[in-house]
Amino acid sequence: MKGEGNKKMKKLLTFAIIGFFAQLIDGSLGMAYGVTSTTLLLTFGIAPAVASASVHLAEVVTTAASGASHIRFGNVDKTTVLRLVIPGSIGAFVGACFLSNIPGDMVKPYISTFLLLLGVYVLIRFLFIFKVSEEREAKPLSAKQSIPLGLIAGFADATGGGGWGPIATPVLLTKRGLSARKVIGTVDTSEFAIAVSATLGFLISLGWEQVNWMWVAALMIGGIIAAPIAAWLVRIIPAHLLGALVGGFIILTNARTLLMSSSVSTPMQTAIYAFILIVWAASITLALRRGQKEKKEAGNLANKVVNN
């Protein structure tokens, strides 16, 4: 009995750690709580439907904590949040209710290809095109843009085990005028409504008895601890570096999805992952150097103004 109790405690502690790191990644990069936590739960042999329902239930609390933290640190564009919430909630609820009848695995490669291309664009934009002055020219997302984005991202989130951040974040990052930290904070804050809607859909289709509340509680505790840390990190990390981190993460996660659904040999997959990681590391280095250069130029300009 004591041995079983220790095993259960270790498992709950592991789930809390999973929740912590999943929220730390999601809160600082604007995506991947669902993908990270669901993937890790599946490695423990938990059924996909139960893992997805548990993660979405935990997200109700973790996204609320994350949203409050991002609002506290000024990382949120409230107009964009309001425009994304309603279509995103509808998409998430519908996706969760009809999950069993939707061949999500069939459409995943197409969505991942689109997102991978967006990731490449995000990386290029923040490394070579982006200017700090763009952050002072923020324009809210229009209704015509927010409705399809919210519906698709919410639907993908419920049917694909995570998709709100991976879809909404790169799309918003391609929109000129919206800063990287506000994109991440906005996506994380609006995700609360999507998590609630998806959870309602799952509970209607799966039932309460499928949920292990101890697992959910452990994931919640880890996520709540990580939420303010992630929001603080977003506030202090320079836009160039955030763009490089997010862009590389988008490329890596979607390349993984595509490779897993293909017949590419294991050595080739390893080579592709290695190439992506090398490019990502180089991009981060370039972003850091560019940030230092711009900071130095801004300092020199300030000194000239003072001297004159």
Side-chain angles (χ1 to χ4, degrees):
M1 290 291 290
K2 191 175 180 181
E4 287 183 11
N6 288 335
K7 282 183 179 180
K8 284 184 179 179
M9 187 59 83
K10 285 181 180 179
K11 199 170 190 178
L12 289 175
L13 182 61
T14 302
F15 285 0
I17 293 170
I18 288 171
F20 177 86
F21 282 107
Q23 183 56 50
L24 192 66
I25 294 168
D26 188 273
S28 55
L29 296 185
M31 67 187 81
Y33 181 90
V35 173
T36 304
S37 51
T38 302
T39 300
L40 292 172
L41 286 177
L42 290 175
T43 62
F44 281 87
I46 297 167
V50 177
S52 185
S54 300
V55 167
H56 276 88
L57 266 170
E59 276 189 307
V60 172
V61 173
T62 59
T63 52
S66 182
S69 300
H70 279 297
I71 291 170
R72 168 69 180 81
F73 286 105
N75 299 333
V76 178
D77 185 286
K78 293 179 182 178
T79 303
T80 304
V81 169
L82 293 173
R83 288 182 175 174
L84 284 173
V85 160
I86 294 176
S89 298
I90 294 170
F93 182 79
V94 171
C97 287
F98 292 96
L99 177 61
S100 59
N101 298 316
I102 298 167
D105 290 338
M106 289 180 65
V107 298
K108 265 189 177 182
Y110 300 101
I111 295 173
S112 292
T113 300
F114 170 69
L115 292 176
L116 192 146
L117 292 173
L118 277 182
V120 172
Y121 175 75
V122 166
L123 208 59
I124 292 171
R125 185 167 102 75
F126 277 88
L127 288 178
F128 305 109
I129 304 171
F130 173 79
K131 295 179 181 177
V132 176
S133 59
E134 287 184 15
E135 295 194 350
R136 304 188 192 99
E137 303 166 2
K139 299 174 184 176
L141 199 69
S142 68
K144 286 184 179 179
Q145 294 170 320
S146 62
I147 291 173
L149 175 59
L151 286 170
I152 293 168
F155 189 83
D157 189 84
T159 57
W164 180 254
I167 291 177
T169 299
V171 169
L172 290 179
L173 281 174
T174 61
K175 179 179 169 58
R176 291 180 179 276
L178 201 58
S179 68
R181 73 181 181 90
K182 286 213 168 185
V183 166
I184 292 167
T186 297
V187 170
D188 272 12
T189 302
S190 59
E191 194 171 8
F192 169 72
I194 279 68
V196 171
S197 300
T199 298
L200 289 173
F202 276 120
L203 291 176
I204 289 171
S205 59
L206 292 175
W208 294 89
E209 64 276 3
Q210 293 288 332
V211 179
N212 187 311
W213 294 99
M214 293 296 286
W215 298 347
V216 172
L219 288 169
M220 285 179 179
I221 292 168
I224 290 169
I225 295 170
I229 300 172
W232 173 75
L233 286 172
V234 168
R235 183 168 178 80
I236 64 169
I237 296 174
H240 291 111
L241 183 55
L242 266 180
L245 288 169
V246 175
F249 196 81
I250 294 166
I251 294 168
L252 184 64
T253 52
N254 287 288
R256 179 179 177 275
T257 301
L258 289 170
L259 289 171
M260 287 182 70
S261 62
S262 69
S263 57
V264 179
S265 64
T266 302
M268 182 58 72
Q269 287 188 24
T270 304
I272 292 171
Y273 285 137
F275 175 74
I276 292 171
L277 289 172
I278 290 169
V279 172
W280 193 8
S283 300
I284 291 170
T285 303
L286 184 60
L288 286 169
R289 287 181 178 176
R290 186 175 175 188
Q292 290 174 349
K293 184 181 177 182
E294 288 197 0
K295 189 175 180 180
K296 187 176 179 181
E297 288 175 353
N300 292 335
L301 185 62
N303 289 332
K304 285 182 180 178
V305 171
V306 171
N307 292 333
N308 291 336

